[in-house]
Amino acid sequence: MSLSFHWFLPTYGDSRGLIAGGHGTSMSGDRPASLRYLNQIGAAAEDNGFEAVLTPTGAWCEDAWLTTAMLVETTETLKFLVAFRPGLVSPTLAAQMAGTYQRHSRGRLLLNVVTGGEPHEQQAYGDFLDKEQRYARTAEFLHVVRALWESREPVSFEGTHIQIRDALLNNHPDPIPPVFFGGSSGPAGPVAARYADTYLTWGEPPAAVGKKLDWIRGLAAAEGRELSYGLRIHVISRDTSEEAWAVADRLLSGLDPAEIARVQTSLARSESEGQRRMLDLHGGRTDRLEIAPNLWAGVGLVRGGAGTALVGSHEEVADRLIEYADLGITHFILSGYPHVEEAYWFGEGVLPILARRGLWTHPHRTESASIATPFATATH
């Protein structure tokens, strides 16, 4: 087993505390998302052995395509997992954009397809389809995009939501970018099984994650396909468990109860089944947030989307990651507050442990991934 680790690019800003909002709710950090700062995060991710950085999509953050394109020239091998929403651009244009990106970045594009679970946000973009219609459109969109990537003949398609005639790319993407896709509701499963390369889920307790993966595996098998699987989660990793939980306590103590109530009310409007499951992990309460060993639901009190974090010593966090890997997870998309510093804590503390256990190798260099910085002490 070889595991891949990816980091997160907070294009709404960063902070030493938890940033409230996201997924249809406005958010910003006290470290602005300038290109200078995002370059620092990219460099930290690349140096510490993260294969790619995930860039979110929505009105609450900067545009993922434009921002990451500007970072290509300041990185060397780091890939960009660009989130985008089907229906906001034509599939032909999206297929062409992917080809252009691959050519100029020399193959460093990955795609995260986001169907959209917040009606008010979709409507702000002019999209008034309901949830089932959005998933049906996503399926048609990915059918057309994949056909355009692979075909050397003109492509025509007449669907319920998408119609194209005699479309043909002048330059096909090389390589074809892997498609990452997440969704916990019934309509999401068949789309993932038929069109995704990697199915993503948020950091629920292992038993719940395993059940979800079994569901997708069954649907994929019926399509004659095998997928890879990924987990989106935060991390707080320190030399000792006590140090890590002290950081979690500090983050929790910095939350305003009124802000928790505001964000919880906003997120309750979501049509996302995954978001509902994240909210159910804590129910808005602050007194029972360790929902499984080393799994903390405090992030989800004020943040939409991924709402849990692995908290513990480097050895403990490595052990929990291996438990998820044993379920079939091979891609881990991680983040932490702030993103520069936490990339070093994890990169120096946890990744060398996984390397020694034969589960990870640095994707950007051949020598040891352990490097000296002021953020973490060496572990043996």
Side-chain angles (χ1 to χ4, degrees):
M1 180 189 300
S2 180
L3 305 180
S4 297
F5 288 89
H6 314 281
W7 200 237
F8 185 73
L9 201 64
T11 52
Y12 43 80
D14 204 359
S15 176
R16 290 185 175 274
L18 296 177
I19 299 177
H23 283 248
T25 302
S26 63
M27 64 193 305
S28 62
D30 45 30
R31 291 185 185 178
S34 65
L35 281 176
R36 181 181 178 87
Y37 183 67
L38 296 178
N39 273 315
Q40 292 182 48
I41 297 174
E46 191 167 59
D47 288 346
N48 281 283
F50 294 97
E51 181 179 331
V53 286
L54 170 66
T55 309
T57 180
W60 42 274
C61 55
E62 299 289 353
D63 179 77
W65 288 97
L66 292 174
T67 301
T68 58
M70 294 179 187
L71 300 178
V72 165
E73 286 302 302
T74 59
T75 52
E76 296 177 1
T77 57
L78 187 70
K79 297 177 182 178
F80 296 94
L81 180 49
V82 174
F84 78 101
R85 300 178 187 233
L88 302 187
V89 297
S90 81
T92 306
L93 179 57
Q96 180 185 17
M97 291 165 65
T100 299
Y101 201 114
Q102 288 296 61
R103 191 159 51 259
H104 293 312
S105 71
R106 298 171 297 281
R108 291 197 275 153
L109 174 67
L110 313 173
L111 289 174
N112 177 32
V113 176
V114 178
T115 299
E118 283 65 50
H120 66 285
E121 186 179 23
Q122 294 297 124
Q123 290 168 14
Y125 282 104
D127 178 16
F128 289 84
L129 298 184
D130 63 29
K131 181 176 181 177
E132 290 201 3
Q133 290 172 329
R134 290 197 298 272
Y135 275 112
R137 180 181 59 195
T138 295
E140 292 183 4
F141 183 97
L142 290 175
H143 175 86
V144 171
V145 166
R146 285 200 176 276
L148 288 167
W149 284 343
E150 297 169 0
S151 177
R152 266 51 182 179
E153 300 295 331
V155 173
S156 296
F157 180 81
E158 288 287 335
T160 302
H161 304 284
I162 291 173
Q163 300 84 38
I164 66 168
R165 184 173 300 162
D166 295 332
L168 181 65
L169 296 185
N170 185 51
N171 288 297
H172 293 74
D174 184 21
I176 290 175
V179 172
F180 289 65
F181 179 88
S184 300
S185 62
V191 180
R194 185 170 295 178
Y195 298 108
D197 297 300
T198 300
Y199 175 77
L200 290 177
T201 184
W202 286 326
E204 299 178 46
V209 170
K211 185 176 180 180
K212 189 185 294 187
L213 299 194
D214 287 342
W215 168 52
I216 297 296
R217 282 194 191 97
L219 293 173
E223 295 287 342
R225 302 184 71 230
E226 291 186 6
L227 310 184
S228 59
Y229 297 91
L231 187 75
R232 172 75 182 98
I233 197 168
H234 307 271
V235 286
I236 304 173
S237 176
R238 294 294 185 271
D239 296 332
T240 68
S241 183
E242 292 76 16
E243 289 176 276
W245 283 108
V247 174
D249 290 341
R250 177 185 63 78
L251 292 174
L252 184 63
S253 67
L255 299 181
D256 182 349
E259 189 77 338
I260 295 175
R262 179 187 72 83
V263 174
Q264 291 296 297
T265 298
S266 176
L267 295 177
R269 299 183 295 173
S270 176
E271 291 181 349
S272 166
E273 174 65 13
Q275 183 63 75
R276 183 196 64 77
R277 292 165 69 117
M278 284 285 100
L279 295 179
D280 286 349
L281 294 177
H282 53 73
R285 298 181 57 173
T286 61
D287 56 341
R288 289 184 297 186
L289 292 174
E290 188 176 3
I291 56 175
N294 302 105
L295 185 63
W296 185 63
V299 179
L301 291 171
V302 293
R303 185 195 191 280
T308 55
L310 291 176
V311 181
S313 68
H314 304 312
E315 290 281 352
E316 288 173 332
V317 171
D319 288 342
R320 300 292 85 77
L321 291 169
I322 291 171
E323 289 177 1
Y324 284 114
D326 288 341
L327 299 174
I329 299 290
T330 56
H331 292 270
F332 292 90
I333 304 175
L334 310 177
S335 54
Y337 297 90
H339 287 74
V340 171
E341 289 93 322
E342 288 296 334
Y344 279 96
W345 279 113
F346 185 87
E348 294 183 332
V350 179
L351 289 180
I353 295 172
L354 296 173
R356 290 195 295 272
R357 297 185 189 183
L359 298 174
W360 175 81
T361 57
H362 199 297
H364 310 305
R365 63 173 185 263
T366 57
E367 67 267 25
S368 169
S370 179
I371 53 178
T373 74
F375 298 118
T377 58
T379 56
H380 301 283

